[in-house]
């Protein structure tokens, strides 16, 4: 039955239906009304018309009554029997939510420029926004380059992070590092740009290829740069040096490691190690300024042929003496089975051969034969851990040694240092050793090998202890110290006075050097340009 055929029926029965519906609040006829309206035999044929009319009426009413936020909910109720319409509305609601979320993100970015940039973010909007901000806020921009970054934790990463965190109020800080498994750890205090890289599992580090990363180079091309500071002379550092030369800005390079020793251990050839060392030395020679941590590291640089424009900037720590809640402190000690009343000897660092970890085990293996009143606490992780545990078991040292594993919490590490008596750190590889400064904060002195980077600012029996690299010498010294705890504490107080220094103090020193070379470099560069223009005239 068509709508045209139904009109005569409607006109005959209209008066009856009108009387029944005038007292009703809504105008939708019920089932009995429809029987009279169309006739019972035609009721089923008119169901489609009824549904369509009712839907249109209710949709119009709802659009007038409800606001934008509740509109989608009301439409869902109206369309609860219409599967196709439900899907359409659901899709529309989802689309509106996406639009709203995008607006919120944009507002957050505009109102809070220093927020954390999410790791592995595909969108470039945040990076472009930060670059634009840095280019127009009137501050100088410093770009740091390094070949490692979080979650890989080493001394160089700690130095870069602390420089950037402390200087970000004075300068715009950008850190250029390799991506780690295609992700990059970022910060709210500075901008981190990640270059494409390959993770080398055997070494635990990423090898970057910045020269082939188009997006990475695009970011830097848009950034105004005033100074480049390199912390590694390998792929990232070499790229940074070329960038500084191209932009005609001063370049700083910090000497962090014994590169010749690294090459000798890797290639097992003195001739090849010398060639590779000369390549690395050229990076330092080409830089405007070379920095290092102490006089010992400066001697090594001189042996590589690096002799001009060397400035000394020491390492530091952010640790400060805290009065921890006794409950929290006991939880940490119980977690690692540490007894604060014992003579606790400490190691903090990566478990690698160059840190002399097997020398430590050899010394302890002999020490335990004459004195068992100690616990040695290994804090950290590394590729040698399983081999170390096997060696410890062979020497029967399990009861005297504790492995805490990797500790990321600064407070947890501070509690362990606070409840230790001595740092035994015989590394001959480190050019300084931040860990000795961290321990000095809590009056814990260091025992190390003489004529090394760690011993550079340690005066024997004044603010620490040094010995020649000999097992029997260290056994004798440790036995004496375990039996004379008060003497160790006295030396620890001197270590706190002589060795402890904060990153705030160090960054003030670094800032003065930056300012010095920014002024002189800009003056020289301006003078050269004037001379060139004069010659042309």
């Amino acid at each position: 039955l068509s709508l045209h055929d139904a009109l005569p029926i409607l006109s005959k029965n209209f008066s009856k239906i009108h009387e029944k519906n005038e007292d009703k609040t809504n105008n939708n006829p019920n089932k009995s009304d429809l029987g009279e309206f169309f006739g019972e035999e035609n009721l089923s044929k008119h169901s489609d018309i009824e549904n369509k009319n009712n839907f249109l009426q209710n949709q119009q009413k709802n659009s007038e009554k409800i606001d934008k936020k509740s509109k989608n909910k009301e439409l869902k109720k109206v369309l609860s029997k219409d599967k196709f319409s439900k899907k359409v509305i659901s899709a529309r609601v989802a689309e509106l939510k996406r639009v709203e979320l995008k607006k919120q993100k944009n507002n957050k970015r505009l109102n809070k420029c220093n927020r954390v940039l999410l790791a592995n973010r595909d969108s470039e909007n945040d990076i472009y926004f930060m670059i634009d901000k840095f280019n127009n806020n009137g501050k100088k921009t410093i770009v740091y380059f390094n070949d490692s970054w979080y979650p890989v934790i080493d001394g160089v990463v700690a130095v870069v992070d602390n420089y950037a965190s402390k200087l970000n109020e004075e300068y715009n800080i950008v850190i250029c590092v390799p991506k780690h498994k295609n992700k990059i750890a970022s910060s709210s205090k500075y901008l981190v740009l990640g270059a494409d890289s390959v993770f080398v599992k055997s070494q635990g580090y990423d090898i970057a290829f910045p020269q082939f990363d188009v997006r990475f180079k695009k970011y830097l091309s848009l950034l105004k740069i005033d100074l480049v500071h390199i912390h590694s002379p390998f792929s990232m550092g070499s790229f940074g040096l070329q960038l500084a030369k191209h932009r005609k800005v001063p370049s700083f390079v910090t000497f962090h490691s014994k590169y010749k020793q690294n090459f000798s251990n890797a290639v097992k050839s003195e001739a090849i190690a010398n060639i590779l060392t000369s390549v690395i030395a050229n990076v330092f020679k080409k830089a405007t300024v070379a920095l290092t941590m102490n006089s010992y590291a400066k001697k090594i640089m001189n042996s590589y042929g690096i002799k001009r424009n060397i400035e000394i900037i020491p390492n530091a720590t952010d640790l400060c003496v805290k009065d921890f809640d006794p409950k929290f402190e006991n939880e940490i000690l119980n977690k690692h089975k540490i007894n604060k009343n014992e003579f606790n000897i400490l190691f903090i660092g990566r478990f690698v051969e160059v840190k002399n970890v097997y020398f430590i085990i050899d010394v302890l293996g002999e020490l335990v034969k004459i004195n068992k009143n100690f616990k040695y606490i290994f804090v950290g992780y590394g590729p040698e851990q399983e081999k170390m545990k096997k060696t410890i078991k062979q020497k029967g040292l399990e009861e005297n040694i504790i492995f805490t594993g990797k500790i990321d919490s600064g407070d947890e590490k501070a509690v362990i240092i606070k409840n230790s008596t001595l740092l035994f750190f015989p590394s001959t590889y480190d050019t300084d050793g931040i860990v000795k400064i961290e321990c000095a904060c809590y009056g814990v002195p260091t025992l190390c090998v003489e004529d090394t980077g760690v011993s550079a600012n340690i005066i024997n029996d004044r603010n620490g202890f040094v010995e020649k690299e000999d097992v029997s010498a260290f056994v004798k010294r440790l036995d004496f110290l375990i039996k004379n705890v008060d003497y160790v504490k006295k030396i620890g107080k001197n270590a706190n006075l002589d060795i402890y220094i904060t990153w705030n103090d160090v960054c003030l020193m670094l800032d003065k050097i930056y300012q010095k070379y920014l002024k002189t470099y800009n003056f020289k560069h301006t003078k050269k340009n004037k001379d060139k223009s004069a010659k042309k005239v």
Side-chain angles (χ1 to χ4, degrees), residues 56-67:
L56 293 170
Q57 290 174 7
N58 287 333
Q59 189 181 34
Q60 186 177 359
K61 288 182 179 180
N62 288 332
S63 64
E64 294 173 354
K65 292 179 180 179
I66 60 178
D67 57 15

Side-chain angles (χ1 to χ4, degrees), residues 201-220:
K201 192 174 181 181
S202 60
Q203 299 298 317
Y205 282 94
D206 301 275
I207 298 177
F209 302 96
Q211 65 273 27
F212 301 116
D213 191 333
V214 176
R215 181 178 292 184
F216 175 75
K217 291 195 292 184
K218 183 180 179 183
Y219 293 148
L220 290 174

Side-chain angles (χ1 to χ4, degrees), residues 68-81:
K68 291 181 180 179
K69 291 183 179 179
S70 62
K71 184 175 183 179
N72 294 321
K73 293 181 181 180
E74 294 295 326
L75 287 174
K76 280 187 173 183
K77 291 179 183 179
V78 172
L79 300 173
S80 60
K81 293 181 182 179

Side-chain angles (χ1 to χ4, degrees), residues 35-185:
E36 294 182 58
F37 202 61
F38 291 105
E40 292 293 339
E41 69 278 9
N42 296 324
L43 179 60
S44 61
K45 296 180 181 180
H46 288 275
S47 59
D48 291 339
I49 298 171
E50 175 204 358
N51 289 339
K52 290 178 181 178
N53 289 333
N54 289 341
F55 169 74
L56 293 170
Q57 290 174 7
N58 287 333
Q59 189 181 34
Q60 186 177 359
K61 288 182 179 180
N62 288 332
S63 64
E64 294 173 354
K65 292 179 180 179
I66 60 178
D67 57 15
K68 291 181 180 179
K69 291 183 179 179
S70 62
K71 184 175 183 179
N72 294 321
K73 293 181 181 180
E74 294 295 326
L75 287 174
K76 280 187 173 183
K77 291 179 183 179
V78 172
L79 300 173
S80 60
K81 293 181 182 179
D82 192 327
K83 293 182 180 179
F84 176 76
S85 297
K86 277 183 73 177
K87 289 181 180 179
V88 172
I89 293 300
S90 296
R92 178 59 180 158
V93 169
E95 185 184 348
L96 289 171
K97 285 182 179 178
R98 282 195 296 270
V99 172
E100 187 63 29
L101 284 172
K102 190 175 181 180
K103 286 181 180 178
Q104 290 175 5
K105 286 180 180 179
N106 289 335
N107 288 336
K108 284 181 181 179
R109 187 171 70 250
L110 290 168
N111 295 330
K112 193 177 182 183
C113 300
N114 294 324
R115 67 189 182 81
V116 176
L117 301 176
L118 298 178
N120 198 27
R121 168 157 292 188
D122 189 47
S123 173
E124 300 180 358
N125 292 338
D126 289 317
I127 294 175
Y128 286 134
F129 182 82
M130 293 297 286
I131 289 172
D132 184 63
K133 177 195 170 189
F134 286 177
N135 289 344
N136 295 286
N137 64 4
K139 292 183 182 179
K140 301 282 187 184
T141 296
I142 298 175
V143 183
Y144 289 115
F145 284 87
N146 193 35
D147 277 282
S148 60
W149 192 241
Y150 299 111
V152 176
I153 299 175
D154 58 23
V156 182
V157 171
V159 170
V160 176
D161 186 22
N162 280 288
Y163 281 1
S165 299
K166 304 303 178 188
L167 293 169
N168 73 312
E169 291 185 7
E170 183 71 21
Y171 302 95
N172 299 315
I173 303 294
V174 180
I175 297 179
C176 296
V177 288
K179 292 178 183 175
H180 179 70
K181 298 180 180 179
N182 204 34
K183 295 182 180 180
I184 192 72

Side-chain angles (χ1 to χ4, degrees), residues 108 188 257 323:
K108 284 181 181 179
S188 60
S257 182
D323 292 324

Side-chain angles (χ1 to χ4, degrees), residues 420-437:
S420 297
T421 316
L422 178 71
L423 172 70
F424 175 22
F425 195 69
S427 171
T428 58
Y429 172 75
D430 290 72
T431 51
D432 192 28
I434 293 175
V435 62
K436 73 176 178 184
I437 306 169

